[in-house]
Amino acid sequence: MKVLIVGGGGREHALAWKCAQSPRVSEVLVAPGNAGTDTESRVRNVDIAATDVPRLLELARREAVALTIIGPEAPLVAGIVDAFQGAGLRCFGPSRLAARLEASKAFSKDFLQRHGIPTAAYRSFTRENYDRAWLRAQRAPIVVKASGLAAGKGVIIAQSLSEAEAAAADMFSGRFGDAGAEIVIEQFLQGEEASFIVMADGEQVLPLATSQDHKRLQDGDAGPNTGGMGAYSPAPVVTSAIHARVMREIIAPTIRGLAHDGMPYTGFLYAGLMIGPDGTPTVLEFNCRFGDPETQPILARLRSDLTSLCEAALDASLDRVEAQWDQRAALGVVLAAAGYPDAVRSGDSIEGLESAARRPGKVFHAGTRRVAGRVVTSGGRVLCAVGLGDRVSDAQREAYALVDCIHYEGMQFRRDIGYQAIARELADDATPQGDATHHGDATHHGGHG
Ligand SMILES: Nc1ncnc2c1ncn2[C@@H]1O[C@H](COP(=O)(O)OP(=O)(O)O)[C@@H](O)[C@H]1O
Ligand SMILES: [Mg+2]
């Protein structure tokens, strides 16, 4: 069968790489792909933008694509799944209506509140009904969010109420375009974040391996927020007890609630969680797609055939499949371009990809392009170097050995990806019995949503 992956970032390189390993797959098309997907065997780039739904539909028909997997949120929010399904094509992702869970934070917060799913206390406002007196009566720190899609830049953690007021005014004045026409102001939560990603088929869910992402640009979680500077899997902060709570208190009522509200959810569902100091999980946000960079380390650990899992979801039979995981940890370090996350410079020549390819692990491409036989930077996040190892510290060592092979002008990356998990490993070493409560991502069966 032929598979089409829509998108051109690191997540889509990992999806294409994984699907191309399936013995069932004859060819993987990627639209538009990048210089990394271009060099994978059995993978072919097609120069169509991820949001050009009519041309993607035409491509899928012409090439007799049996399964399309959507990477980024923009085409999902634009209704690509509805368009493909309307044309009788199999396409894995949520409908336009269900994708509002990511497209509108105000919608998502109202949904969570209506269904009694734990999330930070909040109010949402438009320019018209904005209540500055209410904001002035709150306590700092407080979080101000542009409701719409803002490419990971629309959230301000305000340390004072005047900073929060300024952020709200900034959003209403059009700093994030339409994304800031509505805003959410919510309570600041303490704790440690984790990414909890599942596959859903409308009713059943199959949890994928847990992961943790690093949002800030610099070591020690300093500097501005980014699309993500690295990730690893599994995330030991999600113990088996917390895993069970997330499934019971968050994922199951979400899938049930969406079906109840007339927008059953099929696709990858990503819950961004805050795990409180007492282990209580709370929803920070939903994304309607696989995470980037979480996809890269998670798929590096997936032993099962991803195309079979997606097809089971499209057949509403996720309860009949299971996901097998490599018991090792995987850790991905993002290499970003000069200027990221602000004004990104493109066109820098990337050296060392060949020597990295001879080492264990895998370098996934994101913002890369082939120009006259050379691979050059062409986006904010350029590469993601993934290592594997028995422990997160081993996976980290392998990932940085790959990073050390690679060079381009202005290359930016963090040196401390995985530090929270590695601190736990060191603490476990210091404890005589170690700690057996960490969730190892054994085989997960599909469960009822
Ligand atoms: N209520 C909150 N309390 C504490 N930190 C938060 C809260 N909401 C968001 N954050 C921080 O801001 C980051 C971005 O917020 P999120 O809601 O995930 O929006 P987006 O990913 O669309 O930018 C989160 O990863 C988290 O670090
Ligand atoms: Mg987020």
Side-chain angles (χ1 to χ4, degrees):
M1 66 192 250
K2 278 192 194 179
V3 174
L4 169 62
I5 307 293
V6 173
R11 165 183 49 216
E12 289 77 26
H13 186 185
L15 288 167
W17 167 82
K18 183 67 197 166
C19 289
Q21 289 168 11
S22 165
R24 310 167 65 219
V25 172
S26 55
E27 191 177 30
V28 178
L29 308 179
V30 192
N34 56 41
T37 53
D38 192 37
T39 50
E40 293 290 343
S41 57
R42 290 203 289 167
V43 178
R44 171 162 53 107
N45 285 355
V46 183
D47 190 17
I48 300 177
T51 46
D52 192 342
V53 178
R55 285 186 66 211
L56 292 168
L57 197 57
E58 194 266 327
L59 172 74
R61 277 215 188 94
R62 174 160 41 87
E63 297 274 356
V65 167
L67 170 68
T68 299
I69 304 175
I70 311 301
E73 60 278 15
L76 292 165
V77 170
I80 191 169
V81 172
D82 311 70
F84 271 58
Q85 274 172 2
L89 293 167
R90 283 159 72 80
C91 185
F92 185 63
S95 66
R96 185 181 63 82
L97 285 181
R100 282 183 298 172
L101 226 40
E102 173 166 2
S104 166
K105 289 190 194 292
F107 169 85
S108 167
K109 294 291 286 189
D110 291 348
F111 170 85
L112 288 162
Q113 189 175 57
R114 190 163 66 245
H115 291 282
I117 301 165
T119 193
Y122 75 104
R123 280 189 63 181
S124 48
F125 299 104
T126 59
R127 227 178 260 116
E128 288 66 42
N129 67 14
Y130 176 45
D131 185 349
R132 213 164 70 173
W134 174 84
L135 176 54
R136 285 192 176 154
Q138 303 308 301
R139 287 178 55 178
I142 193 162
V143 184
V144 184
K145 303 185 174 187
S147 178
L149 297 180
K153 291 181 183 168
V155 171
I156 305 295
I157 314 280
Q159 297 303 330
S160 67
L161 293 179
S162 53
E163 194 188 334
E165 275 192 55
D170 202 30
M171 288 177 191
F172 285 141
S173 73
R175 166 107 188 277
F176 299 102
D178 282 351
E182 192 170 15
I183 66 171
V184 170
I185 302 181
E186 69 180 34
Q187 168 202 9
F188 177 82
L189 298 174
Q190 301 284 353
E192 185 173 337
E193 287 183 65
S195 307
F196 200 99
I197 303 170
V198 304
M199 294 175 75
D201 71 3
E203 214 178 302
Q204 324 279 337
V205 291
L206 179 70
L208 299 177
T210 59
S211 58
Q212 199 171 44
D213 167 8
H214 300 62
K215 281 270 155 222
R216 302 297 196 97
L217 182 68
Q218 288 149 13
D219 286 6
D221 296 325
N225 261 335
T226 69
M229 294 300 289
Y232 63 93
S233 170
V237 63
V238 184
T239 60
S240 16
I242 293 175
H243 195 279
R245 282 189 71 177
V246 173
M247 289 298 287
R248 193 173 60 239
E249 296 170 19
I250 291 170
I251 301 297
T254 297
I255 297 298
R256 233 179 6 243
L258 286 162
H260 176 268
D261 293 353
M263 44 192 158
Y265 194 101
T266 301
F268 296 111
L269 177 64
Y270 171 140
L273 303 178
M274 187 66 88
I275 311 295
D278 66 348
T280 300
T282 306
V283 178
L284 288 180
E285 65 156 351
F286 284 119
N287 294 318
C288 63
R289 32 121 189 133
F290 220 143
D292 190 340
E294 292 94 332
T295 304
Q296 294 86 314
I298 289 176
L299 290 187
R301 295 184 59 217
L302 180 65
R303 288 208 188 282
S304 310
D305 185 330
L306 181 63
T307 64
S308 303
L309 299 182
C310 291
E311 289 200 312
L314 289 168
D315 292 333
S317 53
L318 268 185
D319 53 327
R320 273 175 252 152
V321 295
E322 54 188 39
Q324 306 283 352
W325 300 99
D326 189 326
Q327 288 306 296
R328 291 176 297 170
L331 182 142
V333 179
V334 168
L335 304 182
Y340 183 73
D342 301 318
V344 170
R345 189 174 75 207
S346 285
D348 288 307
S349 190
I350 305 171
E351 313 299 335
L353 290 169
E354 303 73 19
S355 58
R358 287 192 293 271
R359 298 195 62 93
K362 173 79 184 169
V363 177
F364 292 106
H365 288 228
T368 66
R369 194 153 68 86
R370 188 169 288 280
V371 176
R374 290 178 316 138
V375 178
V376 303
T377 64
S378 74
R381 290 183 295 167
V382 176
L383 300 165
C384 178
V386 176
L388 285 153
D390 288 335
R391 309 211 302 173
V392 175
S393 49
D394 301 315
Q396 190 198 53
R397 200 171 311 113
E398 190 171 292
Y400 282 109
L402 291 171
V403 171
D404 288 339
C405 296
I406 296 165
H407 178 76
Y408 53 85
E409 276 304 306
M411 180 165 113
Q412 304 188 72
F413 62 96
R414 280 178 61 162
R415 279 274 170 208
D416 66 345
I417 301 302
Y419 75 92
Q420 284 155 311
I422 291 169
R424 281 194 173 78
E425 288 176 353
L426 291 172
D428 288 356
D429 288 348
T431 318
Q433 288 87 4
D435 181 354
T437 61
H438 290 165
H439 187 80
D441 295 309
T443 301
H444 287 309
H445 292 266
H448 221 278

